[in-house]
Amino acid sequence: MTTSQHGFSADQPGRQTASSQTGVLWDRLSRSPLDPVARQWVVAATHGDDALAACARGESIDLPYPPPEPVTPARNFRRCYLNRIRVQGFRGIGRAATLEFPPGPGLTVIVGRNGSGKSSFAEAVEAALTGRNLRWDGMPAAWRDGWRNLHFDDVTEVTVELQRAGEPGTTRVTRVWTGDSVRSARGEVVLPTGETGSLASLGWGEDLSRYRPFLSYDELGRTVTGRSAELYDTLTALLGLNELAETERRLARACDKLAKTEQRPARDLPYLLDQLRASADPRARSAAELLTASSLDLDRLSAIAADDGPADPAQQVVLRRLRRLAVPERSLINDVVSELRGAAMEIAMAAGTKGDRARGVVELLRQALDHHERHPAETDCPTCGAHNALGPAWVNRARAEIARLEPVAASTAAAYQRAEDARDQARFLMAPPPSWLPPDSELGRIWADWAAGAEITDLAELAAHIETQGRRLRSAAIAARKAATERLTDPTDGWAGLAEQLGAWVEDAREALTAHRRLEPARQALEWFTAVAREMRAERLNPLAAQAEKVWARLRQERHIDLASLRLVGRGAQRRVAVDVSVDGTDGPDSAPGLLSQGEFQALALSICLPRTLVPGNPFGFLLLDDPVQAMDTETVEGLAAVLAEVGRHRQLVVFTHDTRLPDALRRLGLAATIRTIQRDAMSNVWVAD
């Protein structure tokens, strides 16, 4: 590790490997005072939910500890740097504009007024590498959809050239937008060898989210004031603590499940007693007395619940279900019939029209394009056999024809979609008969006829079926419900239902007793694990927090606000990063939001984010900062200049800003930086001057 003259380090300790975490956990577990059962809960939590479920069932498990480590493919780590950015037709940039950089550590500041195209460059790089832009999230649709430049009618394209360590040439990432939607882009990677591939072939995986080599002003603000879990998850992944956090959550969920099982009988008991006391059945009175006795006799309660009365239980079940049987309401049947007939009329009116023909051609072309995409090597037409009929030129013509015909086909397509939706409603309505309904009964036969209509495709025929068979079904169901009510004799006067409730409660009570015995060692295991996890998180976070404190010390200048600590606290929905500050030596735990100005918030966010760039496991040797100076006062800007220059000694920093105080501070302090000016005319022509 090397320490700069400004007091913060490059290539600070990065993520802890799963094996080192496991080793520390195993060492502490072997020396812990936990009893063997509680220790088994900890071991089970490291193996997964199935092992925990076995513990909860009281099964004896023999699990190895440490658990076997997952086999992960070796990473071919190569840090990459920006070499060139070329943008055209994107956001505020019209014709092609280019930024070039020496591919290695160094600070470059791009200065330009608001609207000059600075952010367009930064957003273009993010869009090229990720296919999206976090700044767009949460914005109004009109703003989000204005991604294409209005002064440029040619192809919208972004190219980012990267120099990866150990490679003689550059890796080129290109993203081209072919449609009106921002999601219509297609990306391609060209390696130094000339081979092409996808972004996945670069092996970055989740690193683009974990290390994020681009930070906008809005994103910096959300670092401290945004959703608490986001920063927690980012730092947890960065420090390699995901498995530790997941194990803790897993063990906590198991304890919560046991606690709920233990509490369920007490929660349900008042309602059950009210039901039993309202019954005149002597068994209900006996059960109520047993439930309120000083000691609980579950065996006697179970015997009472088992005496549920009727001589023919199966028939009683069918009759009770018939009495509660529900069939589609008349109004719903009428609505579906009306929709089917309306859709049929629209289809009939559309038949033979230009729109109908256009829709057919569009569907045919889409199927052909889909076939061609799945079988690109086949260039002969599969229908007419024409030689070399399919190829790039045909694809372009087919897509152009689709784009031309879609507006013509819109109304017809809507009619067909309405018809399909109406069929779906009808099929949903015609559910098969319940499995318990005797198929040879009158209602069973009528219901089978009703459900058979799901196979009908003709709209008019389907409407007639639902209208006719629906009336028959409703009449038969009403008659069956009435007959069941008349035939349903219950000599126990409702005891069968109470016996069922009592039996379920007894089962819950038995499970609660078991859960009570298992919960104590599980809670001991959770308390021990939480304490150890807290210590391990602090150990892993301390170097990063120390870096943040040193960066903050440079940014805060003469202010008497100190960044005391960063802490990973809570779990599950309550997880968050606690930011502790002190003012004039007085601690204010986790009180940063109430003490800092907007500029200080910005400085604090930079203090947290910049050390992430220096982590040795970060494959990105570059970081793009978009407008980090906003809301900062002049003294903070000078501190920022010193910090950026120092980070620039170890990483490639590209800073976009409209505020000339940053380049002025760099020049005044004699700090190493390349300063360029970006300009834009009224037709979105953007150029950069050194």
Side-chain angles (χ1 to χ4, degrees), residues 236-438:
T236 298
L238 185 68
L239 299 172
L241 295 170
N242 278 350
E243 184 57 35
L244 187 72
E246 179 54 33
T247 300
E248 184 180 6
R249 284 195 290 267
R250 194 183 293 139
L251 188 52
R253 287 196 301 267
C255 288
D256 288 343
K257 186 175 181 180
L258 285 174
K260 289 177 180 177
T261 301
E262 181 190 33
Q263 297 162 6
R264 188 183 301 126
R267 184 196 64 201
D268 296 342
L269 181 58
Y271 175 79
L272 178 60
L273 283 172
D274 288 343
Q275 297 295 307
L276 291 171
R277 287 166 178 162
S279 173
D281 194 290
R283 291 168 293 187
R285 289 196 298 272
S286 298
E289 291 172 1
L290 289 171
L291 287 169
T292 54
S294 57
S295 60
L296 201 59
D297 191 336
L298 292 179
D299 290 337
R300 288 185 61 190
L301 284 168
S302 182
I304 292 174
D307 182 12
D308 55 2
D312 187 357
Q315 181 65 19
Q316 293 288 320
V317 169
V318 172
L319 291 174
R320 284 198 296 270
R321 287 173 173 171
L322 275 173
R323 189 172 55 184
R324 299 191 301 268
L325 181 66
V327 292
E329 295 292 333
R330 183 183 293 108
S331 59
L332 180 58
I333 291 175
N334 291 339
D335 289 344
V336 172
V337 169
S338 297
E339 184 62 15
L340 285 168
R341 287 174 174 159
M345 185 177 296
E346 284 194 11
I347 293 293
M349 293 174 64
T353 63
K354 292 181 179 179
D356 193 20
R357 177 191 175 280
R359 173 184 168 275
V361 173
V362 166
E363 288 187 352
L364 183 62
L365 287 175
R366 282 177 175 160
Q367 292 172 358
L369 284 170
D370 180 64
H371 173 81
H372 184 60
E373 286 180 359
R374 287 185 282 108
H375 308 284
E378 298 180 10
T379 58
D380 293 345
C381 179
T383 56
C384 68
H387 184 61
N388 284 336
L390 306 182
W394 173 83
V395 169
N396 292 334
R397 289 196 305 272
R399 288 175 175 163
E401 185 67 1
I402 289 173
R404 185 184 71 82
L405 291 176
E406 277 182 333
V408 180
S411 61
T412 303
Y416 276 89
Q417 185 59 52
R418 181 185 177 186
E420 192 59 35
D421 292 343
R423 287 191 188 96
D424 287 343
Q425 292 177 15
R427 289 167 185 148
F428 179 79
L429 196 65
M430 292 179 290
S435 59
W436 51 264
L437 183 64

Side-chain angles (χ1 to χ4, degrees), residues 404-592:
R404 185 184 71 82
L405 291 176
E406 277 182 333
V408 180
S411 61
T412 303
Y416 276 89
Q417 185 59 52
R418 181 185 177 186
E420 192 59 35
D421 292 343
R423 287 191 188 96
D424 287 343
Q425 292 177 15
R427 289 167 185 148
F428 179 79
L429 196 65
M430 292 179 290
S435 59
W436 51 264
L437 183 64
D440 56 349
S441 65
E442 182 182 6
L443 179 58
R445 291 192 296 271
I446 292 175
W447 200 313
D449 293 340
W450 159 257
E455 302 298 323
I456 300 174
T457 57
D458 182 79
L459 296 175
E461 184 181 346
L462 185 56
H465 174 86
I466 291 176
E467 189 174 51
T468 302
Q469 295 298 329
R471 283 197 299 266
R472 290 186 65 211
L473 178 67
R474 285 187 53 79
S475 298
I478 292 170
R481 284 200 297 256
K482 183 178 179 181
T485 301
E486 293 173 351
R487 292 176 54 199
L488 190 59
T489 57
D490 187 358
T492 65
D493 193 22
W495 168 248
L498 282 176
E500 186 176 349
Q501 293 181 46
L502 179 61
W505 188 92
V506 170
E507 290 302 315
D508 287 347
R510 295 189 192 280
E511 292 178 6
L513 292 173
T514 302
H516 178 75
R517 292 194 300 271
R518 309 258 162 79
L519 186 57
E520 182 58 31
R523 280 178 170 159
Q524 290 177 12
L526 178 60
E527 290 174 4
W528 178 88
F529 194 95
T530 298
V532 171
R534 186 186 305 115
E535 294 174 8
M536 293 177 65
R537 281 195 293 264
E539 290 171 4
R540 294 305 302 165
L541 184 62
N542 281 344
L544 192 72
Q547 294 285 344
E549 291 168 23
K550 291 168 185 175
V551 174
W552 171 254
R554 295 291 299 168
L555 293 178
R556 70 180 175 90
Q557 295 294 305
E558 301 303 323
R559 295 178 183 82
H560 300 292
I561 299 178
D562 293 315
L563 175 58
S565 67
L566 298 177
R567 293 176 293 118
L568 296 169
V569 299
R571 60 173 173 262
Q574 304 303 316
R575 67 192 186 281
R576 62 190 177 89
V577 178
V579 182
D580 299 339
V581 299
S582 63
V583 182
D584 294 323
T586 302
D587 292 337
D590 202 12
S591 57

